[in-house]
Amino acid sequence: MSDNTSWPAGYRIHPRAAGPDAETVAAFRTMPVAAIGDSMSRNVGTVGLRQYHQRLDTVLCGPAVTVRVRPGDNLMIHKALMMVEPGDVLVIDGSGDVSQALVGGLMRTTCIAKQLGGLVIDGAVRDLCEWAEDGMPIFAKAHTHRGPSKDGPGEVNVPVSCAGMVVMPGDLIIGDADGVIAVPAAEAASVLARTRAHLAKEAKIRETNRTGTADPERFDAVLREKGLPI
């Protein structure tokens, strides 16, 4: 596989992108998705996905291996699973189609054997009882019993759009009970610093809320700026 390979129309397979270093990935694993989003302008991340793993405290965190597929077809997802490394997260652009499942219980077995970090799918899944078990975080748009085709076309490690979130290969993907967010690999260090600062700020606000000592000017000043006689 090479970036210089001449591919037939609709097919493209690029090498895996490394993503952030292991220390950065481990640090983000302890950061709430909501706080990461707050530090990234509050208007990024997936919309309309739900978790199909059962435990609410499960955290998905790892570099993205991206896949774009024809709705209802998972040929290139199988190919991507041959390329992943332990800890990677498959981010699958299925165009939001939920008429056929893109992954099921048999593929979950492969994901576990490959020590995948999890899956984020703008599409449907099936075999819910298996995905509900511990060991493989998965977020998807919906579920259906209808299985996929394996005909292609599709692309691996290309820019994708997944449930309203743009993802580049190697971006750091973090998912928890609140949702899923992508941190550009080149910005991971700065986003981590901003997230830590935001959490420290929230800790101070939480304490003033708890003790009833919150500064009324926090909101009154904003209201006065809007012309209210406060």
Side-chain angles (χ1 to χ4, degrees):
M1 295 175 294
S2 168
D3 288 344
N4 297 320
T5 299
S6 178
W7 296 98
Y11 293 87
R12 192 171 299 273
I13 302 173
H14 289 307
R16 175 187 175 277
D21 61 79
E23 183 178 353
T24 300
V25 175
F28 268 103
R29 187 173 290 278
T30 66
M31 300 290 113
V33 165
I36 299 170
D38 284 352
S39 74
M40 295 177 68
S41 78
R42 298 189 172 189
N43 63 353
V44 294
T46 60
V47 177
L49 300 187
R50 56 162 286 191
Q51 67 177 57
Y52 280 90
H53 50 277
Q54 190 167 28
R55 291 187 52 168
L56 288 177
D57 59 353
T58 299
V59 175
L60 174 154
C61 185
V65 171
T66 63
V67 188
R68 180 184 294 122
V69 299
R70 178 175 60 80
D73 189 275
N74 70 4
L75 175 64
M76 281 302 188
I77 302 175
H78 284 280
K79 177 58 183 175
L81 282 172
M82 298 169 62
M83 300 169 59
V84 297
E85 295 188 6
D88 285 347
V89 173
L90 274 188
V91 179
I92 301 167
D93 176 358
S95 299
D97 179 82
V98 296
S99 62
Q100 291 174 269
L102 291 174
V103 300
L106 292 177
M107 293 182 77
R108 183 180 185 275
T109 305
T110 302
C111 292
I112 291 174
K114 290 282 189 174
Q115 300 179 53
L116 198 69
L119 305 93
V120 182
I121 306 173
D122 195 3
V125 300
R126 70 175 185 175
D127 302 324
L128 301 197
C129 291
E130 294 178 62
W131 289 109
E133 298 174 7
D134 288 345
M136 189 51 54
I138 182 170
F139 294 82
K141 188 172 184 179
H143 59 273
T144 178
H145 65 282
R146 298 167 122 188
S149 60
K150 294 173 174 59
D151 298 319
E155 300 170 288
V156 178
N157 285 324
V158 297
V160 299
S161 175
C162 183
M165 179 175 72
V166 175
V167 181
M168 302 291 290
D171 282 356
L172 184 58
I173 309 300
I174 308 98
D176 64 18
D178 282 326
V180 181
I181 201 163
V183 177
E187 301 174 20
S190 62
V191 172
L192 179 60
R194 293 200 303 271
T195 303
R196 285 170 168 162
H198 181 79
L199 287 171
K201 176 182 176 182
E202 280 195 341
K204 293 179 181 179
I205 295 172
R206 183 173 289 105
E207 181 61 16
T208 62
N209 289 347
R210 185 187 69 81
T211 58
T213 58
D215 183 0
E217 278 299 292
R218 181 184 175 201
F219 297 112
D220 282 354
V222 175
L223 293 172
R224 279 195 295 272
E225 287 180 1
K226 296 181 180 296
L228 278 73
I230 301 297

